[in-house]
Amino acid sequence: MRGDTVDVLRWLFDAQLRVGDGFILWREVLGNVFGLLSALGGMRRKVWAWPVGIVGNAILLTVFLGAVFETPNPVNLLGQAGRQIMFIAVSVYGWVQWRRSRGAQQEAVTPRWASGRQRILLVGAMVLGTAALTPVFRALGSYEPVWADAWIFMGSLLATLGMARGWVEFWLFWVLVDVVGVPLLFSAGYYASGLMYLFYGGFTLAGFFVWWRVNTRQRRAATIGTGFPDLQLSVKDDRP
Protein backbone atom coordinates (compact mmCIF):
# COMPACT_ATOMS: atom_id res chain seq x y z
CA MET A 1 0.00 0.00 0.00
CA ARG A 2 2.81 2.40 0.90
CA GLY A 3 4.60 1.62 -2.36
CA ASP A 4 1.45 2.32 -4.36
CA THR A 5 1.01 5.66 -2.59
CA VAL A 6 4.61 6.64 -3.35
CA ASP A 7 4.12 5.67 -7.00
CA VAL A 8 0.98 7.80 -7.25
CA LEU A 9 2.69 10.79 -5.65
CA ARG A 10 5.67 10.36 -7.97
CA TRP A 11 3.35 10.25 -10.97
CA LEU A 12 1.61 13.44 -9.81
CA PHE A 13 5.01 15.06 -9.24
CA ASP A 14 6.24 14.24 -12.76
CA ALA A 15 2.94 14.62 -14.67
CA GLN A 16 3.36 16.71 -17.80
CA LEU A 17 1.21 18.39 -20.41
CA ARG A 18 2.80 17.98 -23.83
CA VAL A 19 2.70 21.05 -26.08
CA GLY A 20 4.32 20.33 -29.44
CA ASP A 21 7.93 19.41 -28.77
CA GLY A 22 7.81 20.95 -25.31
CA PHE A 23 6.01 20.26 -22.07
CA ILE A 24 4.47 21.91 -19.04
CA LEU A 25 4.53 20.36 -15.59
CA TRP A 26 1.05 20.01 -14.15
CA ARG A 27 2.32 21.10 -10.76
CA GLU A 28 3.49 24.34 -12.35
CA VAL A 29 -0.07 24.87 -13.56
CA LEU A 30 -1.48 23.87 -10.17
CA GLY A 31 0.87 26.18 -8.27
CA ASN A 32 -0.14 29.11 -10.45
CA VAL A 33 -3.84 28.31 -10.02
CA PHE A 34 -3.37 28.56 -6.25
CA GLY A 35 -1.54 31.84 -6.84
CA LEU A 36 -4.43 33.18 -8.89
CA LEU A 37 -6.95 32.18 -6.22
CA SER A 38 -4.78 33.94 -3.63
CA ALA A 39 -4.70 37.10 -5.76
CA LEU A 40 -8.48 36.96 -6.13
CA GLY A 41 -8.84 36.63 -2.36
CA GLY A 42 -6.45 39.54 -1.90
CA MET A 43 -8.53 41.72 -4.20
CA ARG A 44 -11.60 40.89 -2.10
CA ARG A 45 -9.57 41.40 1.13
CA LYS A 46 -10.22 37.90 2.46
CA VAL A 47 -7.96 36.29 5.06
CA TRP A 48 -8.02 32.93 3.25
CA ALA A 49 -5.93 34.48 0.46
CA TRP A 50 -2.78 33.97 2.55
CA PRO A 51 -2.95 30.20 3.29
CA VAL A 52 -4.06 29.47 -0.27
CA GLY A 53 -1.06 31.42 -1.54
CA ILE A 54 1.28 29.48 0.77
CA VAL A 55 0.16 26.18 -0.79
CA GLY A 56 0.87 27.53 -4.26
CA ASN A 57 4.29 28.82 -3.17
CA ALA A 58 5.28 25.41 -1.81
CA ILE A 59 4.33 23.74 -5.10
CA LEU A 60 6.15 26.31 -7.26
CA LEU A 61 9.28 26.01 -5.13
CA THR A 62 9.71 22.47 -6.45
CA VAL A 63 9.15 23.71 -10.02
CA PHE A 64 11.75 26.49 -10.13
CA LEU A 65 14.45 24.35 -8.55
CA GLY A 66 14.28 22.01 -11.52
CA ALA A 67 17.76 20.53 -11.24
CA VAL A 68 17.44 19.96 -7.49
CA PHE A 69 14.15 18.07 -7.77
CA GLU A 70 15.22 16.21 -10.94
CA THR A 71 12.42 17.60 -13.06
CA PRO A 72 12.67 17.53 -16.87
CA ASN A 73 13.41 21.26 -16.94
CA PRO A 74 17.01 21.61 -15.69
CA VAL A 75 16.95 25.42 -15.48
CA ASN A 76 17.15 26.89 -11.99
CA LEU A 77 15.62 30.32 -11.44
CA LEU A 78 16.99 31.07 -7.99
CA GLY A 79 15.15 34.36 -7.68
CA GLN A 80 11.87 32.63 -8.51
CA ALA A 81 12.62 29.76 -6.13
CA GLY A 82 13.86 32.07 -3.38
CA ARG A 83 10.80 34.25 -3.63
CA GLN A 84 8.57 31.23 -2.95
CA ILE A 85 10.36 30.79 0.41
CA MET A 86 10.10 34.54 0.98
CA PHE A 87 6.39 34.42 0.08
CA ILE A 88 5.75 31.72 2.66
CA ALA A 89 7.51 33.69 5.40
CA VAL A 90 5.91 37.04 4.55
CA SER A 91 2.51 35.41 3.98
CA VAL A 92 2.53 34.13 7.55
CA TYR A 93 3.10 37.75 8.64
CA GLY A 94 0.32 39.00 6.37
CA TRP A 95 -2.03 36.25 7.54
CA VAL A 96 -1.51 37.29 11.17
CA GLN A 97 -1.88 41.01 10.35
CA TRP A 98 -5.14 40.55 8.46
CA ARG A 99 -6.61 38.27 11.12
CA ARG A 100 -5.82 40.87 13.79
CA SER A 101 -7.24 43.80 11.83
CA ARG A 102 -10.38 42.04 10.63
CA GLY A 103 -12.21 42.02 13.94
CA ALA A 104 -15.94 41.84 13.29
CA GLN A 105 -15.59 43.15 9.74
CA GLN A 106 -16.11 40.96 6.67
CA GLU A 107 -13.02 42.38 4.93
CA ALA A 108 -9.66 41.88 6.61
CA VAL A 109 -7.97 45.15 5.70
CA THR A 110 -8.82 48.76 4.84
CA PRO A 111 -7.01 49.89 1.68
CA ARG A 112 -4.96 53.06 2.14
CA TRP A 113 -2.27 54.92 0.22
CA ALA A 114 1.33 54.76 1.37
CA SER A 115 2.84 58.07 2.50
CA GLY A 116 5.30 59.99 0.34
CA ARG A 117 8.21 58.82 2.49
CA GLN A 118 7.05 55.23 2.29
CA ARG A 119 6.83 55.44 -1.50
CA ILE A 120 10.40 56.75 -1.72
CA LEU A 121 11.57 53.89 0.51
CA LEU A 122 9.73 51.35 -1.63
CA VAL A 123 11.25 52.59 -4.90
CA GLY A 124 14.70 52.85 -3.33
CA ALA A 125 14.45 49.32 -1.94
CA MET A 126 13.38 48.04 -5.36
CA VAL A 127 16.36 49.55 -7.18
CA LEU A 128 19.02 48.95 -4.54
CA GLY A 129 17.77 45.47 -3.69
CA THR A 130 17.88 44.44 -7.36
CA ALA A 131 21.43 45.78 -7.71
CA ALA A 132 22.56 43.98 -4.55
CA LEU A 133 20.97 40.62 -5.36
CA THR A 134 22.03 40.41 -9.00
CA PRO A 135 25.68 39.42 -8.31
CA VAL A 136 24.53 37.06 -5.55
CA PHE A 137 22.14 35.19 -7.84
CA ARG A 138 24.74 35.16 -10.62
CA ALA A 139 27.33 33.60 -8.31
CA LEU A 140 24.80 30.94 -7.35
CA GLY A 141 24.20 30.09 -11.02
CA SER A 142 20.81 31.64 -11.71
CA TYR A 143 19.44 31.91 -15.25
CA GLU A 144 20.38 34.97 -17.35
CA PRO A 145 19.53 37.79 -17.39
CA VAL A 146 20.09 37.55 -13.66
CA TRP A 147 19.06 41.16 -12.96
CA ALA A 148 15.53 40.24 -14.12
CA ASP A 149 15.41 37.38 -11.61
CA ALA A 150 16.58 39.76 -8.86
CA TRP A 151 14.03 42.39 -9.96
CA ILE A 152 11.21 39.85 -9.72
CA PHE A 153 12.36 38.77 -6.27
CA MET A 154 12.48 42.32 -4.89
CA GLY A 155 9.22 43.37 -6.51
CA SER A 156 7.47 40.30 -5.12
CA LEU A 157 8.85 40.95 -1.64
CA LEU A 158 7.73 44.59 -1.61
CA ALA A 159 4.34 43.79 -3.13
CA THR A 160 3.64 41.13 -0.51
CA LEU A 161 4.68 43.44 2.33
CA GLY A 162 2.52 46.21 0.83
CA MET A 163 -0.45 43.86 0.65
CA ALA A 164 0.02 42.91 4.31
CA ARG A 165 0.07 46.62 5.23
CA GLY A 166 -2.97 47.37 3.08
CA TRP A 167 -1.23 49.82 0.71
CA VAL A 168 -3.05 50.40 -2.59
CA GLU A 169 0.31 50.74 -4.39
CA PHE A 170 1.21 47.09 -3.84
CA TRP A 171 -0.74 46.18 -6.98
CA LEU A 172 1.56 48.40 -9.07
CA PHE A 173 4.61 46.50 -7.84
CA TRP A 174 3.01 43.33 -9.14
CA VAL A 175 2.67 45.03 -12.54
CA LEU A 176 6.40 45.82 -12.47
CA VAL A 177 7.09 42.17 -11.65
CA ASP A 178 4.91 40.94 -14.51
CA VAL A 179 6.49 43.23 -17.12
CA VAL A 180 9.90 41.67 -16.48
CA GLY A 181 8.70 38.20 -15.48
CA VAL A 182 6.80 37.29 -18.66
CA PRO A 183 9.76 37.40 -21.09
CA LEU A 184 12.10 35.82 -18.51
CA LEU A 185 9.84 32.85 -17.85
CA PHE A 186 9.16 32.22 -21.53
CA SER A 187 12.87 32.31 -22.34
CA ALA A 188 13.59 29.82 -19.52
CA GLY A 189 10.89 27.42 -20.72
CA TYR A 190 8.41 27.97 -17.88
CA TYR A 191 5.47 28.53 -20.22
CA ALA A 192 2.64 27.97 -17.73
CA SER A 193 4.09 30.54 -15.33
CA GLY A 194 4.77 32.93 -18.23
CA LEU A 195 1.16 32.72 -19.37
CA MET A 196 -0.06 33.20 -15.82
CA TYR A 197 2.19 36.25 -15.40
CA LEU A 198 0.71 37.65 -18.61
CA PHE A 199 -2.77 37.17 -17.19
CA TYR A 200 -1.68 38.55 -13.81
CA GLY A 201 -0.64 41.79 -15.54
CA GLY A 202 -4.24 42.61 -16.40
CA PHE A 203 -5.55 41.16 -13.16
CA THR A 204 -3.26 43.29 -10.99
CA LEU A 205 -4.27 46.45 -12.82
CA ALA A 206 -7.89 45.56 -12.13
CA GLY A 207 -7.03 44.94 -8.47
CA PHE A 208 -5.34 48.32 -8.25
CA PHE A 209 -8.46 50.15 -9.43
CA VAL A 210 -10.71 48.04 -7.17
CA TRP A 211 -8.68 48.99 -4.09
CA TRP A 212 -8.48 52.61 -5.28
CA ARG A 213 -12.28 52.81 -5.53
CA VAL A 214 -12.72 51.17 -2.12
CA ASN A 215 -10.29 53.67 -0.57
CA THR A 216 -12.12 56.58 -2.25
CA ARG A 217 -15.51 55.39 -0.98
CA GLN A 218 -14.20 54.93 2.54
CA ARG A 219 -12.65 58.41 2.62
CA ARG A 220 -15.89 59.95 1.38
CA ALA A 221 -17.90 58.02 3.97
CA ALA A 222 -15.50 59.14 6.70
CA THR A 223 -15.79 62.77 5.56
CA ILE A 224 -19.58 62.62 5.54
CA GLY A 225 -19.65 60.79 8.85
CA THR A 226 -17.44 63.44 10.44
CA GLY A 227 -19.23 66.42 8.96
CA PHE A 228 -22.81 65.33 9.50
CA PRO A 229 -22.90 65.86 13.30
CA ASP A 230 -21.56 69.39 12.81
CA LEU A 231 -24.29 70.02 10.30
CA GLN A 232 -26.91 68.77 12.75
CA LEU A 233 -25.52 70.96 15.51
CA SER A 234 -25.52 74.02 13.26
CA VAL A 235 -29.15 73.48 12.28
CA LYS A 236 -30.17 72.90 15.89
CA ASP A 237 -28.44 76.09 17.10
CA ASP A 238 -30.26 78.21 14.48
CA ARG A 239 -33.68 77.30 15.81
CA PRO A 240 -35.49 79.97 17.91
Side-chain angles (χ1 to χ4, degrees), residues 63-77:
V63 173
F64 291 119
L65 287 180
V68 174
F69 287 92
E70 299 180 351
T71 58
N73 192 334
V75 174
N76 288 331
L77 286 178

Side-chain angles (χ1 to χ4, degrees), residues 1-15 27:
M1 178 66 70
R2 181 177 297 179
D4 292 340
T5 302
V6 171
D7 290 340
V8 170
L9 291 175
R10 188 67 193 180
W11 176 81
L12 291 172
F13 195 80
D14 293 335
R27 56 193 160 93

